[in-house]
Every structure is written in C-alpha cells, then in structure tokens.
Amino acid sequence: MRFATWNVNSLTARWERVAGWIEAHAPDVLCLQETKQDDAKFPYDGFAELGYEAVHHGEGRWNGVAIASRVGIEGTVGRGFGTQEDESGARFVTATCAGVEVMSCYVPNGRALDDPFYEKKLAWLDRLAVHIGTIPASRALIVAGDFNVAPTDLDVWDPAALEGSTHVTEPERSRVEVLCKLGLDDVVRRRLGDEQVFTWWDYRSGAFHRGWGLRIDLVLCSAAVAEHVTEAYVDRNARKGVKPSDHAPVVVEFDLPTA
C-alpha cells in the first residue's frame, strides 16, 4: 500500500495539481486536509475518473478533510467526533480502506499562545486521544494529516525563531506524545532517523527556498501497520512550481499482508 497525506490549502485552487500528482504517484490511499469545500462542491466525479472512491467532510470556506482510496472504502464512514470539539470545524473523517482504519485530521492551528483558539487546539487533541483510546491496540490504524505540531526541535528549522509561538510548545508536543503512548508510531521519524525534513513552509520571506520549514504533517500508525513500513518520504517537489500548497505530501509505503 502506498499511503499519502497532503494539506492542499484549497482543493478548488489546486485540483489540477492534486490530480496531476495522483496520476504521477498513484497512491492507494490519500488523506487530504484544508479542502476548503463543502460536500456539494467536492470533486467526487474527478476522483472517480482517476479510479478513486472518496469521502469528504467539509463546510465550505474553511477546513475540510477527505480520504480517497483506490482499494475501496468499507463499512461506516465517520465524520467528526460528534461532540463540542466539532465546533472547531470539519476537521476529522475516518474510513476503512483495504482493512486499515484511516483517519484524516486537520488539527486547529492555535493562532497564538494567548488566543482562545490555542486552548481549543489542545482540547481538540485531547478529544482525538480519547477517540484513539477506544480503538483496540491490535487494529490496523493510520492517523494522518496536518497536526500543526512539530513534535521535536529536529522538526523545526530554527527552534529559537519560534520560541513563544504555537506549534512547538510543550503542551502541544505532549498531546502528540500521548497519541504515541496509546500505541501509535511516528513512522516517518522512525524511518528517517535524525534526518531533518519539513512538510510546511510559509509563503512569505522566501521560506521554502531558504529552508525555513516545519514538519507538522504526520503519519501515526498502530503496530499492526508500522511494522510493515518499507519507505517514507516527503515529496518536496510538490511544493515547487506555480501556485503550490504551502504543504508537501508525505508518502509512506507499506508491505501489508493480504487477508
């Protein structure tokens, strides 16, 4: 299975780029975040033409998450938590693809440490942990997306430059650690070791060309999936060119046993 996750920063603005990337890389399962579409506008037909079944949870102008699969979507699709944390918008969708439960997440940004949205971000991550905690540890599970958290200083181009900002604080990082303690593995970091890679670069100040990035798009896997990882990388080339997303796709390949 070739799995990918990508914050596309508006599927409307970047559909041609996304479709082209899918044709070139042929992921079996693709999680998307920040589609910025409602369900009526989401290009189900476009994905079908590419050979994918897709599910989407969107609200229109902001947020929006999706899962596209060319290996089928089985059973019940979950949209949101069904709790007050959903007041933060359409940020969570789950589906089962080829026997693997897949979750596409778009964690709130948090804005600033003194902004109420920072506390909402922490609460959202807490709610995600509660949800993960209800899932048997033996289940094949991938939790992926834009977490808006750089797990360690290795995931930041210059930790001093972000001191006092969101994405790097201990409370945010501790929430990701909780997910790992629940049995999820940051498979990209495990695969790459101490290699520094980023998944997001600000549009401003030439950040991409200067290498001023963060690794905030994560692929967290249960043991049943993590032990079968054969490759993991960030497709930095997808951040280049005309009107790119400010994020790059994260790709993980698995040699999963067939039923």
Side-chain angles (χ1 to χ4, degrees):
M1 177 187 285
R2 176 175 292 164
F3 173 88
T5 183
W6 192 4
N7 179 321
V8 295
N9 191 13
S10 175
L11 193 54
T12 302
R14 268 166 273 282
W15 169 247
E16 294 301 325
R17 288 191 65 121
V18 171
W21 190 88
I22 289 173
E23 291 179 321
H25 296 271
D28 295 297
V29 179
L30 173 63
C31 288
L32 299 172
Q33 301 85 42
E34 212 171 351
T35 63
K36 296 183 178 178
Q37 294 177 335
D38 59 22
D39 293 343
K41 190 172 183 179
F42 184 78
Y44 292 101
D45 291 343
F47 279 104
E49 289 174 4
L50 293 168
Y52 290 78
E53 186 176 356
V55 297
H56 181 251
H57 179 40
E59 60 191 85
R61 187 177 179 185
W62 311 110
N63 309 317
V65 285
I67 300 170
S69 170
R70 65 172 185 171
V71 293
I73 291 176
E74 311 143 24
T76 302
V77 173
R79 292 177 172 85
F81 294 126
T83 69
Q84 65 179 0
E85 280 75 18
D86 290 334
E87 293 177 4
S88 294
R91 296 179 176 273
F92 182 74
V93 66
T94 179
T96 301
C97 308
V100 179
E101 186 168 354
V102 177
M103 300 177 181
S104 182
C105 306
Y106 179 39
V107 178
N109 178 284
R111 298 184 180 178
L113 303 190
D114 59 354
D115 192 296
F117 276 86
Y118 176 74
E119 294 301 325
K120 288 184 177 181
K121 177 180 189 175
L122 299 181
W124 198 96
L125 286 164
D126 288 340
R127 183 61 187 83
L128 177 62
V130 170
H131 184 74
I132 300 299
T134 66
I135 299 172
S138 60
R139 186 172 299 179
L141 173 66
I142 300 175
V143 184
D146 179 1
F147 277 74
N148 274 312
V149 180
T152 71
D153 283 353
L154 182 62
D155 303 308
V156 182
W157 70 277
D158 182 359
L162 271 77
E163 187 173 350
S165 302
T166 59
H167 295 55
V168 298
T169 67
E170 188 281 330
E172 292 166 291
R173 288 175 168 176
S174 69
R175 265 65 177 186
V176 175
E177 291 176 5
V178 166
L179 296 175
C180 294
K181 290 177 181 177
L182 288 171
L184 299 181
D185 191 350
D186 181 353
V187 294
V188 174
R189 174 52 62 213
R190 180 175 295 276
R191 184 76 181 176
L192 298 182
D194 291 336
E195 179 183 350
Q196 191 172 53
V197 296
F198 304 132
T199 65
W200 173 87
W201 301 259
D202 200 317
Y203 286 126
R204 299 167 295 183
S205 303
F208 179 68
H209 300 289
R210 294 183 177 187
W212 295 354
L214 302 174
R215 187 178 74 96
I216 57 176
D217 301 86
L218 310 179
V219 181
L220 308 180
C221 301
S222 66
V225 180
E227 64 186 9
H228 298 289
V229 172
T230 59
E231 185 65 88
Y233 58 93
V234 177
D235 183 10
R236 191 175 180 276
N237 285 332
R239 179 60 173 78
K240 301 176 182 178
V242 179
K243 293 184 178 180
S245 170
D246 46 356
H247 296 250
V250 181
V251 182
V252 180
E253 297 186 6
F254 306 91
D255 185 10
L256 294 173
T258 57

